[in-house]
Structures are given as structure tokens and as C-alpha cells.
Amino acid sequence: IFFFKCEPEVMSTTFAKIRKEHNMSLFEKVSSDIIAAMKARDKVRLDALRNIKKNFIEAKTAPGANDQLSDEAALKILAKMAKQGKDTAALYREQNRPDLAGEEEAQVAVVEEYLPKQLSDEEIEAEVKSVIAETGASSMREMGKVMGVATKRLAGRAEGAKISAAVKKLLA
């Protein structure tokens, strides 16, 4: 343990800042990162973060949200934004617009920084195997039951299409 000789007010504000950074919600983290991007004059990052914050505010002010946004809901919004961005970039590539595709991919990279690490195909299969064992599923007729549990368990860490492919492979 290191001890620093400084005024008590300085010490308490420093510890308060450290504590605050660790307990930030995703909304607060994005808001503070917007300020950092402004200071760094990083236009791509700033545009992406402003778009994220816009979507968060829309979700917070939606009817029934009670001006609240949980981190789980924020992660769903981020996953949706990343998927839409990837689809848009692919569309731009098909239309021979690499300039627009590059911009979109750069924004997707910023969005993905806030998402949890995505599982590999092997990790998804391992999780799906455990779900199949828990549910006792043995045929394709029980795919819905397995998908319901698996998508909840892997929310934010794997795309639905990859989960579905693993379930089909293991139940076939």
C-alpha cells in the first residue's frame, strides 16, 4: 500500500472520481466519452457516441420506461445498432461505395467497444449443449424451448443466427 501526502480534500475527491468511474452506467459512460471525443477532436468517434446517446435517450423517454434505462436494455440497443451498422456497411460494399462502408464500419467499431466480448462458435456450441441437457430436448420439435433459454442466457454475447445454427446442428 502506498501512502501519499496530500490535503484531505484532494484525497477524497480523487477517491470519489475513482469510485464514480467504476459504478457508471453505460449511459453515463457514453456521456463522459462524448466529452473525451470532443477534446480529442475525433469526429468519427464523436458521431458514433452521439448516435448511441440519441438511441439511449429515445429508449429512456419511451412510454413505460419511467425515465430509466438499465444496462441490459442499453446492451440490447447497442447490439441492434452494431447489427444494423454491419448490414448497412455490407449494403454499401455491394453498391460499390467503399467510402461510405468504411465510415459505417468505423462507427460499428466504436459501438462494439461497449458490448461484451462475443463468444466464439465453439463457446456457443458448449453453452447450447448445456441448455439442451437442462431442457432435455432431443429433437428438432423442441428447438423453440432450447432457443428460448439459450437466447436469454447468451443475450448480448452471441447473435441469434449463430445460436440458431448451433441448436439446429446439435438437435439434428
Side-chain angles (χ1 to χ4, degrees):
I1 297 175
F2 296 100
F3 294 98
F4 298 100
K5 189 174 181 181
C6 65
E7 297 299 317
E9 306 86 45
V10 173
M11 190 85 130
S12 64
T13 56
T14 304
F15 286 128
K17 280 183 181 177
I18 292 170
R19 221 177 299 118
K20 185 179 177 188
E21 286 176 11
H22 290 294
N23 294 329
M24 285 180 147
S25 69
L26 272 173
F27 183 83
E28 293 166 336
K29 176 101 175 86
V30 167
S31 296
S32 68
D33 288 351
I34 286 174
I35 295 167
M38 281 183 196
K39 289 179 182 176
R41 297 186 180 178
D42 186 348
K43 186 181 178 337
V44 173
R45 185 170 183 76
L46 182 61
D47 289 345
L49 291 170
R50 282 181 172 161
N51 193 20
I52 291 169
K53 189 169 181 179
K54 175 190 74 87
N55 283 314
F56 283 178
I57 290 171
E58 286 174 358
K60 277 178 88 168
T61 58
N66 298 332
D67 206 32
Q68 299 282 326
L69 182 69
S70 67
D71 279 351
E72 293 80 26
L75 285 173
K76 286 181 184 177
I77 292 168
L78 290 171
K80 182 179 177 184
M81 288 177 68
K83 186 176 184 327
Q84 286 176 342
K86 287 177 186 175
D87 293 346
T88 303
L91 192 65
Y92 286 145
R93 291 235 182 267
E94 284 176 18
Q95 295 175 350
N96 203 20
R97 296 294 310 266
D99 53 328
L100 294 175
E103 286 178 30
E104 197 67 38
E105 288 166 349
Q107 289 195 359
V108 168
V110 173
V111 171
E112 287 179 336
E113 289 176 19
Y114 296 92
L115 288 170
K117 182 185 153 288
Q118 296 293 299
L119 297 176
S120 68
D121 292 340
E122 294 79 26
E123 292 169 322
I124 293 171
E125 270 192 40
E127 285 288 332
V128 169
K129 279 181 186 175
S130 70
V131 170
I132 290 172
E134 285 174 26
T135 59
S138 58
S139 69
M140 283 299 289
R141 279 188 242 139
E142 297 167 302
M143 182 178 172
K145 183 168 40 169
V146 174
M147 282 297 294
V149 176
T151 51
K152 285 180 185 164
R153 187 179 293 179
L154 300 174
R157 299 185 299 151
E159 292 179 15
K162 287 186 177 184
I163 297 169
S164 177
V167 171
K168 286 177 185 173
K169 177 181 171 187
L170 294 170
L171 287 179

Short mmCIF file of all heavy atoms in Angstrom, two decimals, residues 15-40:
data_model
loop_
_atom_site.label_atom_id
_atom_site.label_comp_id
_atom_site.label_asym_id
_atom_site.label_seq_id
_atom_site.Cartn_x
_atom_site.Cartn_y
_atom_site.Cartn_z
N PHE A 15 -10.55 9.88 -4.71
CA PHE A 15 -11.20 8.59 -4.47
C PHE A 15 -12.65 8.60 -4.96
O PHE A 15 -13.14 7.60 -5.45
CB PHE A 15 -11.14 8.20 -3.00
CG PHE A 15 -9.78 7.74 -2.56
CD1 PHE A 15 -9.16 8.30 -1.47
CD2 PHE A 15 -9.11 6.77 -3.27
CE1 PHE A 15 -7.91 7.89 -1.07
CE2 PHE A 15 -7.84 6.34 -2.89
CZ PHE A 15 -7.24 6.92 -1.79
N ALA A 16 -13.31 9.74 -4.85
CA ALA A 16 -14.69 9.84 -5.33
C ALA A 16 -14.73 9.66 -6.85
O ALA A 16 -15.61 8.98 -7.37
CB ALA A 16 -15.29 11.18 -4.94
N LYS A 17 -13.76 10.25 -7.55
CA LYS A 17 -13.70 10.09 -9.01
C LYS A 17 -13.48 8.63 -9.39
O LYS A 17 -14.11 8.12 -10.29
CB LYS A 17 -12.56 10.94 -9.60
CG LYS A 17 -12.89 12.38 -9.76
CD LYS A 17 -11.73 13.09 -10.41
CE LYS A 17 -12.01 14.57 -10.58
NZ LYS A 17 -10.86 15.27 -11.16
N ILE A 18 -12.55 7.97 -8.69
CA ILE A 18 -12.26 6.57 -8.99
C ILE A 18 -13.50 5.72 -8.73
O ILE A 18 -13.87 4.88 -9.55
CB ILE A 18 -11.07 6.06 -8.14
CG1 ILE A 18 -9.79 6.77 -8.60
CG2 ILE A 18 -10.93 4.55 -8.24
CD1 ILE A 18 -8.59 6.53 -7.70
N ARG A 19 -14.17 5.94 -7.61
CA ARG A 19 -15.36 5.17 -7.27
C ARG A 19 -16.45 5.42 -8.31
O ARG A 19 -17.14 4.49 -8.74
CB ARG A 19 -15.85 5.59 -5.89
CG ARG A 19 -16.32 4.42 -5.07
CD ARG A 19 -16.74 4.79 -3.66
NE ARG A 19 -15.69 5.39 -2.87
CZ ARG A 19 -15.74 6.62 -2.38
NH1 ARG A 19 -16.78 7.39 -2.57
NH2 ARG A 19 -14.74 7.11 -1.67
N LYS A 20 -16.61 6.67 -8.75
CA LYS A 20 -17.64 7.01 -9.71
C LYS A 20 -17.40 6.33 -11.05
O LYS A 20 -18.33 5.83 -11.68
CB LYS A 20 -17.68 8.53 -9.90
CG LYS A 20 -18.81 8.99 -10.79
CD LYS A 20 -18.81 10.48 -10.91
CE LYS A 20 -19.91 10.91 -11.86
NZ LYS A 20 -19.85 12.32 -12.18
N GLU A 21 -16.15 6.25 -11.51
CA GLU A 21 -15.85 5.62 -12.79
C GLU A 21 -16.21 4.14 -12.80
O GLU A 21 -16.63 3.60 -13.80
CB GLU A 21 -14.37 5.79 -13.13
CG GLU A 21 -14.02 7.20 -13.55
CD GLU A 21 -12.53 7.39 -13.79
OE1 GLU A 21 -11.80 6.37 -13.84
OE2 GLU A 21 -12.11 8.54 -13.92
N HIS A 22 -16.05 3.47 -11.67
CA HIS A 22 -16.34 2.04 -11.62
C HIS A 22 -17.83 1.74 -11.50
O HIS A 22 -18.27 0.65 -11.81
CB HIS A 22 -15.57 1.38 -10.47
CG HIS A 22 -14.09 1.33 -10.72
ND1 HIS A 22 -13.54 0.57 -11.71
CD2 HIS A 22 -13.07 1.97 -10.13
CE1 HIS A 22 -12.23 0.72 -11.72
NE2 HIS A 22 -11.91 1.58 -10.76
N ASN A 23 -18.61 2.70 -11.04
CA ASN A 23 -20.04 2.48 -10.85
C ASN A 23 -20.89 3.16 -11.91
O ASN A 23 -22.08 3.31 -11.74
CB ASN A 23 -20.47 2.97 -9.46
CG ASN A 23 -19.85 2.15 -8.35
OD1 ASN A 23 -19.59 0.97 -8.53
ND2 ASN A 23 -19.59 2.78 -7.22
N MET A 24 -20.28 3.59 -13.00
CA MET A 24 -21.01 4.30 -14.04
C MET A 24 -21.92 3.35 -14.81
O MET A 24 -21.54 2.23 -15.11
CB MET A 24 -20.05 4.92 -15.05
CG MET A 24 -19.34 6.13 -14.60
SD MET A 24 -18.27 6.66 -15.96
CE MET A 24 -18.33 8.40 -15.74
N SER A 25 -23.09 3.87 -15.17
CA SER A 25 -23.95 3.10 -16.07
C SER A 25 -23.43 3.32 -17.49
O SER A 25 -22.58 4.18 -17.73
CB SER A 25 -25.39 3.59 -15.96
OG SER A 25 -25.51 4.90 -16.51
N LEU A 26 -23.92 2.53 -18.42
CA LEU A 26 -23.49 2.70 -19.81
C LEU A 26 -23.85 4.10 -20.33
O LEU A 26 -23.07 4.70 -21.06
CB LEU A 26 -24.15 1.64 -20.70
CG LEU A 26 -23.40 0.33 -20.83
CD1 LEU A 26 -24.23 -0.68 -21.59
CD2 LEU A 26 -22.08 0.53 -21.52
N PHE A 27 -25.01 4.59 -19.93
CA PHE A 27 -25.44 5.93 -20.36
C PHE A 27 -24.44 6.98 -19.89
O PHE A 27 -24.02 7.85 -20.65
CB PHE A 27 -26.84 6.23 -19.81
CG PHE A 27 -27.40 7.54 -20.27
CD1 PHE A 27 -28.02 7.65 -21.50
CD2 PHE A 27 -27.31 8.67 -19.47
CE1 PHE A 27 -28.54 8.86 -21.94
CE2 PHE A 27 -27.82 9.88 -19.89
CZ PHE A 27 -28.44 9.98 -21.13
N GLU A 28 -24.04 6.89 -18.62
CA GLU A 28 -23.08 7.85 -18.07
C GLU A 28 -21.72 7.71 -18.72
O GLU A 28 -21.03 8.69 -18.98
CB GLU A 28 -22.96 7.66 -16.56
CG GLU A 28 -24.22 8.01 -15.79
CD GLU A 28 -24.20 7.50 -14.37
OE1 GLU A 28 -23.47 6.52 -14.07
OE2 GLU A 28 -24.94 8.05 -13.55
N LYS A 29 -21.32 6.48 -19.00
CA LYS A 29 -20.02 6.23 -19.63
C LYS A 29 -19.98 6.84 -21.02
O LYS A 29 -19.00 7.48 -21.40
CB LYS A 29 -19.76 4.72 -19.70
CG LYS A 29 -18.51 4.30 -20.41
CD LYS A 29 -17.43 3.95 -19.43
CE LYS A 29 -16.19 3.42 -20.12
NZ LYS A 29 -15.29 4.48 -20.55
N VAL A 30 -21.05 6.64 -21.80
CA VAL A 30 -21.12 7.21 -23.14
C VAL A 30 -21.08 8.74 -23.06
O VAL A 30 -20.38 9.39 -23.83
CB VAL A 30 -22.38 6.72 -23.89
CG1 VAL A 30 -22.63 7.53 -25.15
CG2 VAL A 30 -22.26 5.25 -24.23
N SER A 31 -21.81 9.31 -22.10
CA SER A 31 -21.82 10.77 -21.95
C SER A 31 -20.43 11.30 -21.65
O SER A 31 -20.01 12.32 -22.22
CB SER A 31 -22.79 11.18 -20.85
OG SER A 31 -24.10 10.83 -21.19
N SER A 32 -19.69 10.64 -20.77
CA SER A 32 -18.33 11.11 -20.46
C SER A 32 -17.38 10.87 -21.63
O SER A 32 -16.47 11.67 -21.86
CB SER A 32 -17.80 10.45 -19.18
OG SER A 32 -17.57 9.08 -19.39
N ASP A 33 -17.60 9.81 -22.39
CA ASP A 33 -16.76 9.55 -23.56
C ASP A 33 -17.01 10.55 -24.68
O ASP A 33 -16.12 10.82 -25.48
CB ASP A 33 -16.96 8.12 -24.06
CG ASP A 33 -16.34 7.09 -23.13
OD1 ASP A 33 -15.61 7.49 -22.20
OD2 ASP A 33 -16.59 5.89 -23.33
N ILE A 34 -18.22 11.11 -24.73
CA ILE A 34 -18.52 12.16 -25.72
C ILE A 34 -17.63 13.37 -25.45
O ILE A 34 -17.04 13.95 -26.36
CB ILE A 34 -20.02 12.55 -25.69
CG1 ILE A 34 -20.85 11.45 -26.35
CG2 ILE A 34 -20.25 13.88 -26.38
CD1 ILE A 34 -22.35 11.65 -26.25
N ILE A 35 -17.51 13.73 -24.18
CA ILE A 35 -16.66 14.86 -23.81
C ILE A 35 -15.21 14.59 -24.19
O ILE A 35 -14.52 15.45 -24.74
CB ILE A 35 -16.81 15.17 -22.31
CG1 ILE A 35 -18.24 15.63 -22.02
CG2 ILE A 35 -15.80 16.21 -21.85
CD1 ILE A 35 -18.60 15.66 -20.56
N ALA A 36 -14.74 13.36 -23.91
CA ALA A 36 -13.36 12.99 -24.26
C ALA A 36 -13.15 13.04 -25.77
O ALA A 36 -12.09 13.49 -26.24
CB ALA A 36 -13.04 11.61 -23.72
N ALA A 37 -14.13 12.59 -26.54
CA ALA A 37 -14.01 12.61 -28.01
C ALA A 37 -14.00 14.04 -28.53
O ALA A 37 -13.32 14.36 -29.50
CB ALA A 37 -15.15 11.82 -28.64
N MET A 38 -14.77 14.92 -27.88
CA MET A 38 -14.75 16.33 -28.27
C MET A 38 -13.37 16.94 -28.04
O MET A 38 -12.85 17.65 -28.90
CB MET A 38 -15.79 17.12 -27.45
CG MET A 38 -17.19 16.99 -27.90
SD MET A 38 -18.19 18.07 -26.84
CE MET A 38 -19.80 17.44 -27.17
N LYS A 39 -12.81 16.63 -26.88
CA LYS A 39 -11.49 17.17 -26.56
C LYS A 39 -10.43 16.64 -27.51
O LYS A 39 -9.50 17.35 -27.88
CB LYS A 39 -11.12 16.84 -25.11
CG LYS A 39 -11.92 17.62 -24.10
CD LYS A 39 -11.55 17.23 -22.68
CE LYS A 39 -12.40 18.00 -21.67
NZ LYS A 39 -12.11 17.56 -20.29
N ALA A 40 -10.58 15.37 -27.90
CA ALA A 40 -9.61 14.74 -28.81
C ALA A 40 -9.87 15.11 -30.27
O ALA A 40 -9.07 14.78 -31.14
CB ALA A 40 -9.65 13.23 -28.64
#
